[in-house]
Amino acid sequence: MTPRPHQTTRRTTVLRREAVVAAVPVAVAALLVAAGPAAAGTVGSSGAGDPYFPLSGNGGYDVRHYDLTLGYDPQSRHLDGKAVITARATERLTRFDLDFKGLKVTGVTVDHAKASYRRDGQELVVTPRHFLRRNQEFRVTVTYSGTPKPATDPDGSLDGWIPTDDGAFVAGEPQGAMTWFPANSHPKDKASYDFTITVPKGHTAVANGILRGQSTSHGRTTFRWRQSEPMAAYLATATVGKFKVEQYTARDGLKVYNAVDPREATAAAPVLKKLPSVLAWESGIFGPYPFRAAGSIVDRAPQVGYALETQTRPVYDSAPDLSTLVHESAHQWFGDSVSLTAWKDIWLNEGFATYAEWLYAEQHGGKTAQQTFDSLYASPAGSGLWAFPPANPGSGAHIFDTPVYARGAMALQKLRTAVGDGVFFRILRTWATEHRGGHGTTAQFVHLSERLSGKDLDALFHTWIGTAGKPTAP
């Protein structure tokens, strides 16, 4: 994710918003034993156990696929939705939760049978007519409607379904997915997606993956998108606006789809033109691009203040500069393909994407990564750069602060100088390859670095990502 310069809590002059020496495993909260004579079942927990966002995600099941059908009217800001969620029970369930906040639920079924439900804050609590067996695949259908409102994050910023003057800017990190569809909304639970989005003729609805088709009838246009590779809920988008659309197939067969607000088109064009070469450069360093589609959504949303690495197609609140494009593109490997198991580990996303900016500058006539490191190290001991360790931001309010980005990248530069270029770039490529489509933790990255380098790196990682304060020597 990338912030705008005026967001002083989320940016230094070298980075933009997106935010363990030993990783804390994300334990699913203990399941409660169901009461009553049918006490052979359990109740899925209301959270996935993340200390920063305790109610994010849910226990007792694993989502395989989301099929989302949406109708949105930008003028009235009214949304009609139907979510069909295919999941597998990981316990014998009598009840389970979905993360869903704000919109009115008009019906819930489980395997086509009407289910009872109730709202409890951000939780939609579902009780199926019959209990679910462990390992049983089941299908939940939720219909809903209303005016979606964005979530306010602990740092005060907005995410989720954010209205614009011609549609909606939809960016869900870290908790905004629940503002527009019911989900198991923690990065631990990734799934494939289908989107069917209907908007007034003249508007475009852009989601993740590949555009499977569009059709117009009775003054409304329907767009059908498919994201086949696993995706965390916060990376889903359904951005709506009056966009200028560009589609092409890159030399390597990658399907590219760019949607640009015409007011941003002139500024965005020279940067978006470089997208294929940026992805090719990153593929040469990090390994093959992990998805079948790519592109960009460039909106005009001054109230947002950041860009986000929505999977396959980052969304920008205005025309991006080249460094921002490099940053969000690098997230397709680090954050999207290789996802978090706990928000505490977000430096694995943001530090890595920030370091990609440094590498790109180094290899394209700009400062070397070491020069960028040195200029940052010159920051006084009392500056925000040293406020907390990158691998322990302390709370959800700080996951997008300077140490996560800049000091996280500094840790990678220290690793590079410690193990040498050959081993360092092999570490990055192996990390992206071995965890492709899955998850990673700080502890796993430290272990991989030690395995490939043959060195004890505990002191290095402890100093640069595990402790607060300015290290005494660079």
Side-chain angles (χ1 to χ4, degrees), residues 7 13 41 53 65 93 108 157 192 229 238 280 291 353 404 444 450:
Q7 291 186 293
T13 57
F53 299 96
H65 185 73
L93 286 176
V108 179
S157 62
S192 57
E229 298 93 350
F291 308 114
V404 172
Q444 288 172 328
E450 292 184 328

Side-chain angles (χ1 to χ4, degrees), residues 1-55:
M1 182 178 284
T2 312
R4 311 316 301 178
H6 65 268
Q7 291 186 293
T8 55
T9 61
R10 290 189 167 202
R11 175 186 169 99
T12 70
T13 57
V14 297
L15 49 92
R16 302 146 186 85
R17 174 200 194 227
E18 288 253 5
V20 14
V21 177
V24 178
V26 180
V28 175
L31 296 174
L32 304 175
V33 178
T42 56
V43 175
S45 63
S46 58
D50 195 293
Y52 289 3
F53 299 96
L55 292 178

